[in-house]
């Protein structure tokens, strides 16, 4: 019998994959932005900047198979949000509004002018949706990599519907910052849906195909939301990638190809 991991353990598998990531990001540094140290890597060329946003619990190393190849010939920035890696914690709420404003502050601090190609994985995709809907004039293109749906934790996907052991493991393996981001996910999603859809440039939705094999109740809900992401953005191109949730590590070439396409 073929093993089909439940959608409820995908996040935990992702954390394990990140912890075992052998590739590295070159030239990581820190800078003071608004009185707080922020960790990032930046490559500057005469091109539209490509900005990467990590998923829940993830660090910039999650882009190690992608960033170096893009940064070789393009302006690109990968960073750690407040409370991850060597980026200092922030006193503000960990919702999309504050996280996006902190990212915009970093971009200004490093002299990167819009428009940007925004690339977000998992929860990072939700933050990039927030950015694109609230600041569309700063966005050249949007690439969502198995992105969190704005209503991901509503309905059947609510955390109280997850098995107790999964909730226990999630609590055990996630940091205080990640817990705060998870708590603010519904607020972030509501603000995404309340703003006009982004339509100012190309939108590519990369969706993980392997989870579609799972037929549990939670998986069916998550996969329906996976399919629904493209509906939220009329004109978006949705591509199903033969991968689990961790597309940046499992199928990095699909992300690289999408970035080159919009550039």
């Amino acid at each position: 019998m073929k093993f089909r991991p439940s959608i409820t353990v995908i996040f935990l598998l992702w954390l394990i994959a990140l912890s075992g990531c052998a590739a590295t990001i070159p030239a990581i540094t820190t800078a003071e932005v608004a009185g707080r140290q922020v960790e990032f890597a930046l490559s500057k060329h005469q091109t539209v900047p490509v900005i990467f946003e990590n998923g829940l619990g993830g660090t910039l190393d999650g882009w190690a198979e992608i960033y170096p190849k893009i940064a070789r010939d393009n302006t690109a920035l990968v960073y750690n949000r407040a409370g991850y890696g060597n980026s200092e914690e922030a006193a503000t709420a960990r919702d999309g509004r504050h996280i996006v404003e902190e990212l915009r502050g970093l971009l200004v601090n490093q002299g990167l002018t819009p428009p940007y190609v925004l690339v977000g994985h998992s929860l990072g995709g939700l933050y990039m949706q927030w950015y694109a809907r609230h600041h569309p004039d700063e966005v050249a293109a949007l690439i969502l990599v198995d992105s969190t749906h704005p209503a991901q934790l509503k309905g059947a996907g609510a955390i109280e519907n997850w098995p107790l052991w999964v909730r226990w493991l999630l609590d055990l393996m996630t940091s205080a910052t990640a817990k705060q981001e998870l708590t603010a996910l519904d607020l972030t999603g509501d603000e995404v849906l309340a703003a006009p859809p982004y339509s100012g440039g190309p939108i590519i939705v990369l969706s993980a195909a392997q989870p579609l094999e799972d037929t549990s109740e939670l998986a069916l809900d998550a996969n329906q939301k996976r399919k629904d992401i493209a509906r939220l953005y009329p004109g978006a191109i949705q591509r199903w990638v033969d991968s689990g949730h961790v597309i940046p590590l499992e199928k990095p070439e699909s992300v690289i190809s999408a970035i080159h396409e919009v550039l």
Side-chain angles (χ1 to χ4, degrees), residues 13 28 52 69 72 85 93 108 114 139 163 186 188 225:
L13 293 175
I28 298 174
F52 295 91
K69 296 179 177 65
R72 187 166 49 220
V108 171
V139 181
D186 278 347
T188 299
K225 290 167 180 171

PDB file of all heavy atoms in Angstrom, residues 13 28 52 69 72 85 93 108 114 139 163 186 188 225:
ATOM      1  N   LEU A  13       6.559  17.827   8.425  1.00  0.00           N
ATOM      2  CA  LEU A  13       7.543  17.279   7.498  1.00  0.00           C
ATOM      3  C   LEU A  13       8.385  18.396   6.893  1.00  0.00           C
ATOM      4  O   LEU A  13       9.571  18.236   6.640  1.00  0.00           O
ATOM      5  CB  LEU A  13       6.833  16.490   6.400  1.00  0.00           C
ATOM      6  CG  LEU A  13       6.119  15.210   6.843  1.00  0.00           C
ATOM      7  CD1 LEU A  13       5.363  14.605   5.666  1.00  0.00           C
ATOM      8  CD2 LEU A  13       7.100  14.200   7.420  1.00  0.00           C
ATOM      9  N   ILE A  28      25.269  36.022   3.679  1.00  0.00           N
ATOM     10  CA  ILE A  28      24.239  36.444   4.635  1.00  0.00           C
ATOM     11  C   ILE A  28      24.809  37.521   5.546  1.00  0.00           C
ATOM     12  O   ILE A  28      25.941  37.416   6.027  1.00  0.00           O
ATOM     13  CB  ILE A  28      23.739  35.245   5.455  1.00  0.00           C
ATOM     14  CG1 ILE A  28      23.078  34.206   4.533  1.00  0.00           C
ATOM     15  CG2 ILE A  28      22.752  35.691   6.528  1.00  0.00           C
ATOM     16  CD1 ILE A  28      22.682  32.928   5.244  1.00  0.00           C
ATOM     17  N   PHE A  52      11.931  37.166  -1.775  1.00  0.00           N
ATOM     18  CA  PHE A  52      11.471  35.867  -1.297  1.00  0.00           C
ATOM     19  C   PHE A  52      10.925  35.980   0.122  1.00  0.00           C
ATOM     20  O   PHE A  52      11.510  36.650   0.977  1.00  0.00           O
ATOM     21  CB  PHE A  52      12.622  34.856  -1.297  1.00  0.00           C
ATOM     22  CG  PHE A  52      13.157  34.538  -2.667  1.00  0.00           C
ATOM     23  CD1 PHE A  52      14.203  35.268  -3.211  1.00  0.00           C
ATOM     24  CD2 PHE A  52      12.609  33.506  -3.411  1.00  0.00           C
ATOM     25  CE1 PHE A  52      14.710  34.974  -4.473  1.00  0.00           C
ATOM     26  CE2 PHE A  52      13.098  33.198  -4.673  1.00  0.00           C
ATOM     27  CZ  PHE A  52      14.154  33.936  -5.208  1.00  0.00           C
ATOM     28  N   LYS A  69      20.794  30.740  -7.656  1.00  0.00           N
ATOM     29  CA  LYS A  69      20.665  30.699  -9.120  1.00  0.00           C
ATOM     30  C   LYS A  69      19.999  31.963  -9.655  1.00  0.00           C
ATOM     31  O   LYS A  69      20.340  32.439 -10.738  1.00  0.00           O
ATOM     32  CB  LYS A  69      19.881  29.452  -9.530  1.00  0.00           C
ATOM     33  CG  LYS A  69      20.583  28.139  -9.171  1.00  0.00           C
ATOM     34  CD  LYS A  69      19.754  26.949  -9.563  1.00  0.00           C
ATOM     35  CE  LYS A  69      20.484  25.639  -9.276  1.00  0.00           C
ATOM     36  NZ  LYS A  69      20.722  25.416  -7.839  1.00  0.00           N
ATOM     37  N   ARG A  72      22.446  35.180  -9.130  1.00  0.00           N
ATOM     38  CA  ARG A  72      23.640  35.249  -9.973  1.00  0.00           C
ATOM     39  C   ARG A  72      23.529  36.352 -11.019  1.00  0.00           C
ATOM     40  O   ARG A  72      24.518  37.036 -11.333  1.00  0.00           O
ATOM     41  CB  ARG A  72      23.848  33.886 -10.640  1.00  0.00           C
ATOM     42  CG  ARG A  72      25.142  33.753 -11.428  1.00  0.00           C
ATOM     43  CD  ARG A  72      25.412  32.295 -11.759  1.00  0.00           C
ATOM     44  NE  ARG A  72      24.222  31.661 -12.336  1.00  0.00           N
ATOM     45  CZ  ARG A  72      23.832  30.422 -12.048  1.00  0.00           C
ATOM     46  NH1 ARG A  72      24.503  29.689 -11.167  1.00  0.00           N
ATOM     47  NH2 ARG A  72      22.765  29.901 -12.632  1.00  0.00           N
ATOM     48  N   GLY A  85      15.957  33.027  12.819  1.00  0.00           N
ATOM     49  CA  GLY A  85      17.389  33.135  12.566  1.00  0.00           C
ATOM     50  C   GLY A  85      18.017  34.202  13.437  1.00  0.00           C
ATOM     51  O   GLY A  85      17.789  34.242  14.651  1.00  0.00           O
ATOM     52  N   ALA A  93       2.475  43.133  16.547  1.00  0.00           N
ATOM     53  CA  ALA A  93       1.731  41.907  16.250  1.00  0.00           C
ATOM     54  C   ALA A  93       2.322  41.212  15.037  1.00  0.00           C
ATOM     55  O   ALA A  93       2.885  41.848  14.142  1.00  0.00           O
ATOM     56  CB  ALA A  93       0.262  42.246  15.985  1.00  0.00           C
ATOM     57  N   VAL A 108      13.469  49.483   1.511  1.00  0.00           N
ATOM     58  CA  VAL A 108      13.883  50.889   1.440  1.00  0.00           C
ATOM     59  C   VAL A 108      15.276  51.051   2.020  1.00  0.00           C
ATOM     60  O   VAL A 108      16.134  51.746   1.454  1.00  0.00           O
ATOM     61  CB  VAL A 108      12.870  51.781   2.187  1.00  0.00           C
ATOM     62  CG1 VAL A 108      13.418  53.204   2.311  1.00  0.00           C
ATOM     63  CG2 VAL A 108      11.529  51.787   1.470  1.00  0.00           C
ATOM     64  N   PRO A 114      10.745  49.766  -6.064  1.00  0.00           N
ATOM     65  CA  PRO A 114       9.737  48.971  -6.744  1.00  0.00           C
ATOM     66  C   PRO A 114       9.675  49.322  -8.229  1.00  0.00           C
ATOM     67  O   PRO A 114      10.224  50.346  -8.644  1.00  0.00           O
ATOM     68  CB  PRO A 114       8.448  49.361  -6.009  1.00  0.00           C
ATOM     69  CG  PRO A 114       8.717  50.720  -5.461  1.00  0.00           C
ATOM     70  CD  PRO A 114      10.184  50.768  -5.155  1.00  0.00           C
ATOM     71  N   VAL A 139       4.300  46.219  -7.111  1.00  0.00           N
ATOM     72  CA  VAL A 139       4.458  44.806  -7.481  1.00  0.00           C
ATOM     73  C   VAL A 139       4.471  44.647  -8.998  1.00  0.00           C
ATOM     74  O   VAL A 139       3.586  45.143  -9.695  1.00  0.00           O
ATOM     75  CB  VAL A 139       3.324  43.957  -6.870  1.00  0.00           C
ATOM     76  CG1 VAL A 139       3.497  42.482  -7.224  1.00  0.00           C
ATOM     77  CG2 VAL A 139       3.301  44.129  -5.346  1.00  0.00           C
ATOM     78  N   PRO A 163      -6.032  16.485  14.587  1.00  0.00           N
ATOM     79  CA  PRO A 163      -5.847  15.483  15.635  1.00  0.00           C
ATOM     80  C   PRO A 163      -5.035  16.052  16.798  1.00  0.00           C
ATOM     81  O   PRO A 163      -4.148  16.891  16.611  1.00  0.00           O
ATOM     82  CB  PRO A 163      -5.069  14.366  14.926  1.00  0.00           C
ATOM     83  CG  PRO A 163      -5.416  14.532  13.482  1.00  0.00           C
ATOM     84  CD  PRO A 163      -5.574  16.016  13.269  1.00  0.00           C
ATOM     85  N   ASP A 186      -5.821  34.128  10.614  1.00  0.00           N
ATOM     86  CA  ASP A 186      -7.178  34.472  10.196  1.00  0.00           C
ATOM     87  C   ASP A 186      -7.329  35.961   9.934  1.00  0.00           C
ATOM     88  O   ASP A 186      -7.973  36.378   8.964  1.00  0.00           O
ATOM     89  CB  ASP A 186      -8.195  34.017  11.247  1.00  0.00           C
ATOM     90  CG  ASP A 186      -8.546  32.542  11.111  1.00  0.00           C
ATOM     91  OD1 ASP A 186      -8.212  31.934  10.073  1.00  0.00           O
ATOM     92  OD2 ASP A 186      -9.151  31.993  12.049  1.00  0.00           O
ATOM     93  N   THR A 188      -4.938  38.054   9.062  1.00  0.00           N
ATOM     94  CA  THR A 188      -4.220  38.328   7.822  1.00  0.00           C
ATOM     95  C   THR A 188      -5.060  37.922   6.613  1.00  0.00           C
ATOM     96  O   THR A 188      -5.190  38.672   5.638  1.00  0.00           O
ATOM     97  CB  THR A 188      -2.874  37.586   7.804  1.00  0.00           C
ATOM     98  OG1 THR A 188      -2.065  38.042   8.892  1.00  0.00           O
ATOM     99  CG2 THR A 188      -2.128  37.829   6.495  1.00  0.00           C
ATOM    100  N   LYS A 225      -8.943  24.213  -1.031  1.00  0.00           N
ATOM    101  CA  LYS A 225      -8.402  25.568  -0.905  1.00  0.00           C
ATOM    102  C   LYS A 225      -7.168  25.737  -1.794  1.00  0.00           C
ATOM    103  O   LYS A 225      -6.931  26.823  -2.351  1.00  0.00           O
ATOM    104  CB  LYS A 225      -8.079  25.858   0.557  1.00  0.00           C
ATOM    105  CG  LYS A 225      -9.348  26.005   1.406  1.00  0.00           C
ATOM    106  CD  LYS A 225      -9.057  25.986   2.888  1.00  0.00           C
ATOM    107  CE  LYS A 225     -10.362  26.142   3.686  1.00  0.00           C
ATOM    108  NZ  LYS A 225     -10.192  25.916   5.137  1.00  0.00           N
TER     109      LYS A 225
END
